[in-house]
Amino acid sequence: MELKILKVILWPKNKEFKYRELNFRTDKVNVITGGSGRGKSALISIIDYCLGSSKIRIPTGLIRQTTEWFGVVISFNGRQILLARTLSKGTNELSNDMFKDEGQSVPIPDEITSNYTVDDIKKLLNKVMGYADIEMENNGRTSSWEAQRPSYRNAISLNFQPQYIIANPSTLYYKADSTADREKLRIIFPYLINAIDNRTLELREELKLLKREVLMLSRELKEKQDLSQSETAELKNYFNLAKELGLLKDYSFENDDLNKEQYTQYLLQIQEKFKEDQLPTIEVGITADMVNRLTTLREREYDLSMRLSTLRERSMTLKDLNNSAIEYRKSLLIQSDRTKAVGWLKTLFNSTIICPLCGSNEEHTEHYLDNIQSVNASISELGDQVEDSVKVYSSEIVKTQGQLSQYERELNNLRREVGELEERDTEFKRSRQAVTSIFRFLGRVDQILINLNSGNENRELMERIVGKEERIKNIETEISDDKSDQVKRFALAKISEYIRVYAEIFKPEKLDANINLDIDNLTLKFISKTGARDYLWEIGSGRNFMAYHISTMLGIHEYLASLEQSKVPSFLMFDQPSQVYFPEINDDKAEIGSEDMEELKRIFQALDLFVTRTKGKVQVILLEHAGETSWKDYQNLTKVYRWRDDEEDKALIPDEWY
């Protein structure tokens, strides 16, 4: 990813003055030299703040007191993006208000009005930088940091080496001095060095979903299989009952001990025969006309009963839906009542940010009230939609009740006629009981066959499980840990090789050991020829720490520059690495002893070699006390600003601003 720093811009609170603009080269080591208190170190905090930091590390005091907006112009794949961020009004603390402009060449506006939030910018940059919107995994373990999706904000740890980090024995990376930040960086590190790519993350996410689906389907299949074991006995009972009712009189069975499929087949034949013949012929000692009439009435009664059953189910469903909608509407009204008072509160904040209830000073109050008012509007709109649904359900309920009443009247009339006919003969009453039993039997058979049809889904479930397990196997083969580990081992070996190249310039201790970048512990590991292992924090001396910090950052970025695609912005910022040699250099023209100068020049020699080896693909910004005499012999280093009292441009904040 070719993301570099073109400009840093500061807009003053005093509108009488023009904005402050710092320009940088993208293919060189940009050196800003000057004394203490000039604002050099603040540049790292300013750039990080403009890139969406969740904390503000810009020094309090003059810089925050005089500056209203901080901005950075970055180059990204041939385009320019201006990102600016302000401070909260009144307190000069963290603000979520940002400004963005983009184009082939972005003009610097004299005044700025927020048009984005920090979250907007993070989402946008994550998208254009190609970060996957998928959670990272932690070798099967779950942690609170795992929920974090990979972001360029994690990669920022590899871009900055502020003064308190560059010679730190315990912390090698920026923003890795807390447990939470260290864990995030540890998890995402293989992704940053391309040992894991977006395709792998997507397949891991698919794999996780597939395994969850297989587990659910397996549970469903087991439940159905358990149910199937009790179904055979139930089918046999219905089979025997069918024989008692005379529904199987045309069949002779020497052995009634059949299997489940045979019982099911005979019951299905009864069901099909009933559909064709409606009812078996009932011959009783009454006239043929009465028998025919009763048969017709029974057929009609059955038809009406089925229609009534269907309508009753529809009516109950509509009533349940209607009641649910009414309850939901009540819930929405309660929510609306709770939030509608925000309009009154908002009017009280039009001219003040002092809370009228508790008297506290709340800089985000108006933003919060706007959000609550927006939620209230959404609740009202949703309530209107639910009200419309209630009207539709009510209309359908009325219509269904009308149909129910019509069928019930017709059924009652039909049953009265049947009753009159049945009273003519007691023998027919007995036959009526038989027909009723058949109706009940056929109804129960219908239900058990429906359940059996559901049971027949077992084969489909098994096929689905097999298909998903096959996909799981293919994914696990494609993203096997062996492949990822092989890429990771290669990347770490190359980076460790590059670290040694630069470390040999500094000549620190432990050069005789095997140097390894340890991304699990986020440090360097030194393995001696005897097999003894030491970590960076154990070797001692600020000079050693500084040497390995710079060498590590250069080694990582040289490897990233060799990749076709990198997720890490292609710039590095070092703040005063010479502090380990000279804690304070008040005069950059002062003479420095030859031995001290030789050690100091090793810093610039390493940076010069880095630019040569990477062919200028990675931008370097160096913030230093040491003057030009110590690095003027290196062609890849260029002075961009010198902030001293004898210069017209003395510091980051111009004199006229305060």
Side-chain angles (χ1 to χ4, degrees):
M1 176 203 312
E2 182 147 342
L3 191 156
K4 299 181 179 180
I5 308 298
L6 296 179
K7 301 175 187 289
V8 172
I9 310 104
L10 279 63
W11 285 265
K13 291 182 178 179
N14 190 336
K15 304 303 180 184
E16 295 180 2
F17 303 119
K18 186 176 176 61
Y19 55 79
R20 169 75 151 134
E21 180 179 341
L22 304 179
N23 293 280
F24 299 93
R25 293 188 60 171
T26 60
D27 58 347
K28 295 286 185 181
V29 178
N30 298 262
V31 184
I32 298 180
T33 180
S36 296
R38 307 285 174 161
K40 302 186 305 298
S41 298
L43 288 173
I44 288 179
S45 302
I46 290 171
I47 293 173
D48 189 29
Y49 187 64
C50 294
L51 290 177
S53 173
S54 59
K55 299 178 182 178
I56 180 169
R57 294 181 173 86
I58 300 172
T60 58
L62 184 63
I63 297 178
R64 291 203 211 180
Q65 291 169 4
T66 59
T67 307
E68 182 177 13
W69 283 84
F70 300 91
V72 59
V73 177
I74 59 177
S75 66
F76 181 75
N77 294 341
R79 294 179 63 81
Q80 294 183 7
I81 302 176
L82 168 60
L83 299 173
R85 189 174 180 183
T86 187
L87 301 171
S88 60
K89 294 181 180 179
T91 63
N92 289 335
E93 295 296 332
L94 187 79
S95 172
N96 286 320
D97 293 329
M98 291 194 68
F99 170 84
K100 183 188 83 74
D101 192 13
E102 184 176 355
Q104 293 297 323
S105 179
V106 178
I108 308 301
D110 292 323
E111 294 188 8
I112 290 181
T113 301
S114 174
N115 60 358
Y116 281 84
T117 66
V118 172
D119 287 340
D120 294 334
I121 296 300
K122 288 181 180 179
K123 291 176 182 177
L124 183 146
L125 291 181
N126 277 332
K127 182 177 180 180
V128 300
M129 292 182 187
Y131 279 82
D133 188 21
I134 300 173
E135 293 179 7
M136 294 289 293
E137 290 188 356
N138 187 12
N139 295 328
R141 300 192 300 272
T142 300
S143 70
S144 59
W145 304 288
E146 234 179 287
Q148 297 287 335
R149 286 167 166 75
S151 169
Y152 74 95
R153 289 300 310 163
N154 304 122
I156 290 294
S157 295
L158 305 182
N159 293 112
F160 298 122
Q161 283 282 295
Q163 191 172 355
Y164 67 92
I165 292 291
I166 199 164
N168 192 312
S170 302
T171 304
L172 183 57
Y173 304 102
Y174 179 62
K175 283 179 49 183
D177 47 356
S178 71
T179 302
D181 289 328
R182 284 176 60 85
E183 186 69 6
K184 290 178 188 176
L185 182 59
R186 187 188 67 77
I187 292 172
I188 199 176
F189 217 120
Y191 181 74
L192 297 179
I193 60 176
N194 282 17
I196 299 173
D197 56 15
N198 286 349
R199 169 68 176 168
T200 300
L201 290 182
E202 290 168 359
L203 289 175
R204 283 182 175 179
E205 183 71 8
E206 182 184 353
L207 183 63
K208 183 167 60 176
L209 293 175
L210 284 170
K211 288 183 176 180
R212 189 181 304 159
E213 290 175 1
V214 167
L215 180 62
M216 293 174 63
L217 290 173
S218 298
R219 288 175 179 172
E220 183 180 354
L221 178 61
K222 186 178 185 305
E223 291 174 358
K224 290 184 178 296
Q225 288 174 337
D226 291 342
L227 179 63
S228 178
Q229 294 177 0
S230 64
E231 287 177 343
T232 302
E234 188 175 6
L235 286 170
K236 183 175 182 179
N237 290 335
Y238 281 105
F239 175 80
N240 292 330
L241 182 57
K243 291 202 308 182
E244 292 176 8
L245 292 171
L247 300 177
L248 290 172
K249 61 185 179 180
D250 294 334
Y251 300 91
S252 59
F253 305 98
E254 297 180 359
N255 183 7
D256 288 350
D257 190 13
L258 308 177
N259 58 38
K260 178 180 176 180
E261 287 71 21
Q262 290 172 318
Y263 287 132
T264 301
Q265 187 62 38
Y266 283 123
L267 292 176
L268 283 171
Q269 291 175 4
I270 294 173
Q271 193 181 49
E272 291 298 324
K273 185 177 186 304
F274 172 73
K275 290 179 180 178
E276 295 174 0
D277 300 339
Q278 295 300 316
L279 274 177
T281 302
I282 301 173
E283 297 181 359
V284 294
I286 57 176
T287 62
D289 290 341
M290 186 175 68
V291 172
N292 292 336
R293 177 60 179 163
L294 280 171
T295 302
T296 301
L297 290 175
R298 280 302 179 192
E299 291 174 353
R300 178 60 179 162
E301 180 185 10
Y302 175 78
D303 181 62
L304 286 174
S305 298
M306 295 300 292
R307 293 189 183 186
L308 277 170
S309 177
T310 301
L311 280 175
R312 287 192 183 107
E313 290 180 4
R314 174 175 171 78
S315 178
M316 291 176 62
T317 301
L318 287 171
K319 287 179 180 179
D320 288 342
L321 290 172
N322 191 49
N323 291 336
S324 297
I326 291 172
E327 290 301 319
Y328 187 36
R329 175 57 177 160
K330 289 179 181 178
S331 173
L332 291 174
L333 287 174
I334 292 172
Q335 295 179 44
S336 178
D337 289 341
R338 290 176 178 172
T339 57
K340 67 182 180 182
V342 72
W344 169 75
L345 282 174
K346 188 176 180 183
T347 60
L348 298 180
F349 283 93
N350 287 336
S351 59
T352 178
I353 60 174
I354 304 301
C355 178
L357 301 179
C358 65
S360 63
N361 190 326
E362 297 291 343
E363 68 274 15
H364 300 299
T365 302
E366 186 173 358
H367 174 69
Y368 294 154
L369 291 176
D370 287 339
N371 288 342
I372 297 174
Q373 197 168 34
S374 175
V375 171
N376 181 260
S378 300
I379 291 172
S380 298
E381 181 181 350
L382 183 57
D384 293 339
Q385 295 174 0
V386 174
E387 185 67 27
D388 291 340
S389 298
V390 171
K391 292 178 182 179
V392 172
Y393 293 145
S394 298
S395 175
E396 286 297 315
I397 289 171
V398 171
K399 181 180 177 182
T400 303
Q401 289 295 338
Q403 292 176 329
L404 276 172
S405 298
Q406 178 184 345
Y407 286 145
E408 286 172 350
R409 286 193 298 270
E410 186 175 347
L411 184 60
N412 288 334
N413 292 334
L414 184 147
R415 284 175 174 171
R416 278 195 295 270
E417 183 179 354
V418 169
E420 293 173 357
L421 290 173
E422 288 178 344
E423 289 176 357
R424 299 178 186 177
D425 195 289
T426 56
E427 184 180 353
F428 192 81
K429 292 180 182 179
R430 290 193 298 271
S431 66
R432 174 183 178 275
Q433 293 176 353
V435 172
T436 301
S437 298
I438 292 174
F439 273 132
R440 291 174 180 171
F441 170 79
L442 291 172
R444 291 195 295 267
V445 168
D446 282 341
Q447 187 59 51
I448 192 173
L449 290 178
I450 289 173
N451 293 336
L452 285 174
N453 288 335
S454 298
N456 290 335
E457 294 176 0
N458 290 4
R459 182 177 300 174
E460 295 179 8
L461 283 175
M462 294 183 66
E463 290 175 353
R464 290 173 61 188
I465 291 172
V466 170
K468 292 181 184 297
E469 288 178 338
E470 184 67 25
R471 176 60 179 159
I472 288 173
K473 182 179 178 181
N474 292 337
I475 292 176
E476 288 177 337
T477 300
E478 184 172 348
I479 62 171
S480 67
D481 290 338
D482 290 341
K483 292 182 179 179
S484 297
D485 288 344
Q486 184 178 357
V487 176
K488 183 170 72 174
R489 285 195 298 270
F490 173 81
L492 294 179
K494 294 300 292 184
I495 293 172
S496 298
E497 175 187 329
Y498 297 150
I499 291 173
R500 174 172 289 280
V501 169
Y502 299 107
E504 288 177 348
I505 295 175
F506 291 98
K507 298 180 173 27
E509 296 179 38
K510 296 293 181 181
L511 266 182
D512 57 336
N514 185 13
I515 304 172
N516 292 275
L517 180 65
D518 185 348
I519 63 175
D520 291 326
N521 295 295
L522 299 180
T523 188
L524 292 181
K525 181 168 57 180
F526 304 89
I527 304 176
S528 69
K529 294 179 181 179
T530 62
R533 300 187 176 207
D534 296 303
Y535 292 93
L536 178 62
W537 63 78
E538 298 178 293
I539 64 175
S541 175
R543 299 186 181 196
N544 290 330
F545 299 141
M546 180 276 297
Y548 282 118
H549 271 252
I550 292 180
S551 299
T552 299
M553 293 301 107
L554 298 182
I556 290 173
H557 277 268
E558 180 171 344
Y559 176 74
L560 295 175
S562 69
L563 302 176
E564 292 185 7
Q565 295 290 334
S566 171
K567 296 291 190 298
V568 181
S570 48
F571 71 87
L572 273 167
M573 291 189 72
F574 297 103
D575 185 13
Q576 300 178 106
S578 66
Q579 64 180 301
V580 299
Y581 302 130
F582 315 103
E584 187 65 55
I585 300 177
N586 294 317
D587 183 0
D588 61 351
K589 296 181 180 179
E591 291 292 330
I592 301 175
S594 59
E595 183 177 344
D596 293 334
M597 177 62 78
E598 180 181 351
E599 289 198 48
L600 178 61
K601 284 186 174 182
R602 291 172 181 169
I603 298 173
F604 311 121
Q605 181 183 350
L607 297 179
D608 181 72
L609 177 63
F610 172 73
V611 174
T612 299
R613 286 173 63 92
T614 59
K615 299 179 181 179
K617 292 181 179 180
V618 183
Q619 177 190 38
V620 180
I621 299 175
L622 177 64
L623 312 171
E624 253 301 340
H625 281 302
E628 190 172 2
T629 55
S630 56
W631 42 266
K632 65 180 180 180
D633 296 333
Y634 299 100
Q635 61 179 1
N636 289 318
L637 277 73
T638 180
K639 179 189 73 176
V640 289
Y641 295 97
R642 179 180 180 270
W643 290 338
R644 294 281 180 180
D645 288 337
D646 58 350
E647 296 279 356
E648 182 178 353
D649 186 3
K650 297 181 175 63
L652 175 63
I653 303 298
D655 290 342
E656 62 267 22
W657 282 22
Y658 59 94

